[in-house]
Amino acid sequence: MLRVVKSELIRLNRPSFMIGGVGAMALFGSIATVIGFAAAGKAGPGPGQYIPTVAALAGSDGFTAGLMLAANLIGIVVLSFWAIAVASDYSTGFIRLLAQAEPRRWRLLVGKALALVLYTLAGALAATLAAYGTALVCAPIFDVSTAAWGTDTLVTLAETFRNLSLSAVVWGVIGLLIALLTRSSGVAIAVGVGYVVIFENMIVAVSQDAGTWLLGGTLTALAAGGTSAISFESALQLGAAYLVAGILIAIAVMHFREITY
Amino acid sequence: MSAIITRGLTKRFGDLVAVDRLDLDVPEGGVVGFVGPNGSGKSTTIRMLLGLISPSDGTGEVLGTSIAHPEQYAHRVGALIESPSFVPSLSAGANLRSLAALRGLPAKRVAEVIDTVGLTGRERDLVKTYSLGMKQRLAIAAALLPNPELLILDEPTNGLDPAGIVEVRTLLQDLGAQGRTLLVSSHLLSEIEAACSQVVIIRFGEMLFSGPIAELMAATAAHVDVAPEHALDLPHLIELYGARGWGVRQNNNHLVVAAPAADAPELNRVATQGGITLRRLSAHEETLEDAFLRMTGATDHDNTLIRSNQRAKRTGLFSRHLPSTKKEADDA
């Protein structure tokens, strides 16, 4: 298995992935923090999203509150990142070489996922640190008190990193699955964005109960450490269910699909 | 012992039978050509041998192991399947290092194979900057990574310039001389003839010939075209040649005599002794290409006709007899 992970990491180690994936996550984390401070206390833009209050920003974990605005956006970046990594194996035909060298395809899939998890963790860490740094700059600009900050900075950063990572990995697995099914990163990204931005909001508008278990809301809650609609524990369980289901379906597709291209 | 054996190997994609009960024997050691017209099932067969697709029916063994368990022989097999396939935004070296890591091979093996295919000095260049010929060399390097006992190469000279073709041919012969088995699929039949000792010819998934090229050529239809000065002498000439045991067929105003080139002087002598002056006497030795076209169909139209008729027969669309061989197609 380590061979597969090492092989994947060699291929992932290119500027386009580092800048496009990890860099974009950090950038969105930073931008979301700026927006969070600038729009503090104003009404949220819709289901699954929220704008932090000034009080929340001034709390002990306020420096990461703005980051949650970008949770789904970072999720889409991760979904895209994973989808491109999977689909490019098919679009370039490299999958032929991979599957010939390692015919146990479940190993190829799990190894790829593990390598992508490492990159996702790096991206989540970059986003968390970028949000923290941006918050330090924004607080005085937007007159937000930072007196409570620093009491548990490391613990707060660690929890934010953990929650964002868990959410991002599930997003990634969804991207992996869609890309595996469609063999197209473009389609995978379009489906992912279309679902979160439009489809899930439409469903929740019709049935608010659905917001307590649908993917976007669940992963937002997971990233935020829980929301008013879904507790962190429920989000953790639902996220795990999405993760396991996604991986199992992907393994089945990978195992049974014939490589005719 | 055979490096590759298949028995009744069949692959169906819906109604299309891509490989039809193929019995294949590729002996261990040496370079074996694998030829067939476009769509004949070569790539499908190769993919089944490598575990990329599953057979619909039949069995097969690669290096003594069932093709149902490709993981047991993957480390002993290298392959170039159709076009070279690499990550274009990565360097050639990184692409090979990724594959080497997957196979658990040391990084120094990458330098060795790059040197073998003559890409030393270019390994840090991105693959997207490579010419088709360089990509082809890189693909051969990738196939050589595991130091394989069996190499399966699909169109290894595709995109190479003449010098590159000669280099690859020499490389293949060297690899074969080292005791490896090479199964080489190519459309360049002159290359197959030059590089291979054995050949397997298939058409629409059916094996038409398997054996030494020398054996195939010995069985080819060498002939001599003979034209008398006066067309009225044709019947007499047929009689004279027939009496001496040659097979003779009239084709317009000349005769096609089934005889090797060495018989040409004797054919001339017999005609002269019979009082006939010859206007033309030309010997034809078949090349592998001639033999291939004769066995598989001269044009894509022939093959399309045969293929569609094979389909129609299988699906029972027509009850009358339809041609499913080249000879039958010609007659039709």
Side-chain angles (χ1 to χ4, degrees), chain A residues 7 11 96 105 258-259, chain B residues 11 47 52 54 85 98:
Chain A
S7 170
R11 292 205 307 287
R96 295 199 294 260
R105 296 185 198 170
E258 301 204 311
I259 299 174
Chain B
K11 182 62 186 177
R47 285 168 195 273
L52 299 181
S54 308
S85 315
S98 173

Side-chain angles (χ1 to χ4, degrees), chain A residues 204-221:
Chain A
V204 174
V206 173
S207 167
Q208 289 205 336
D209 284 351
T212 61
W213 57 269
L214 283 174
L215 184 68
T218 299
L219 298 186
T220 299

Side-chain angles (χ1 to χ4, degrees), chain B residues 52-106:
Chain B
L52 299 181
I53 58 177
S54 308
S56 305
D57 208 352
T59 60
E61 285 184 8
V62 172
L63 300 173
T65 304
S66 167
I67 59 172
H69 300 286
E71 72 280 2
Q72 291 178 14
Y73 56 78
H75 62 289
R76 299 164 66 194
V77 179
L80 159 58
I81 310 152
E82 292 188 356
S83 55
S85 315
F86 294 98
V87 181
S89 55
L90 273 183
S91 70
N95 270 284
L96 291 186
R97 281 198 303 280
S98 173
L99 290 170
L102 184 59
R103 288 181 178 275
L105 300 170

Side-chain angles (χ1 to χ4, degrees), chain B residues 171-255:
Chain B
L171 175 63
L172 298 184
Q173 287 169 332
D174 289 347
L175 292 168
Q178 290 168 10
R180 301 174 208 265
T181 306
L182 281 83
L183 183 67
V184 181
S185 149
S186 177
H187 285 106
L188 296 176
L189 295 174
S190 56
E191 278 311 305
I192 293 287
E193 201 168 0
C196 304
S197 53
Q198 311 237 358
V199 67
V200 175
I201 299 177
I202 68 171
R203 184 195 59 197
F204 303 146
E206 293 175 284
M207 192 174 71
L208 302 178
F209 178 84
S210 176
I213 289 184
E215 187 182 303
L216 174 67
M217 301 313 292
T220 59
H223 65 274
V224 180
D225 284 345
V226 179
E229 186 179 21
H230 304 293
L232 290 173
D233 290 332
L234 281 170
H236 186 205
L237 200 54
I238 291 171
E239 197 176 305
L240 287 172
Y241 289 159
R244 298 291 292 268
W246 281 301
V248 186
R249 174 169 62 86
Q250 185 174 342
N251 188 357
N252 295 326
N253 60 350
H254 73 274
L255 302 180

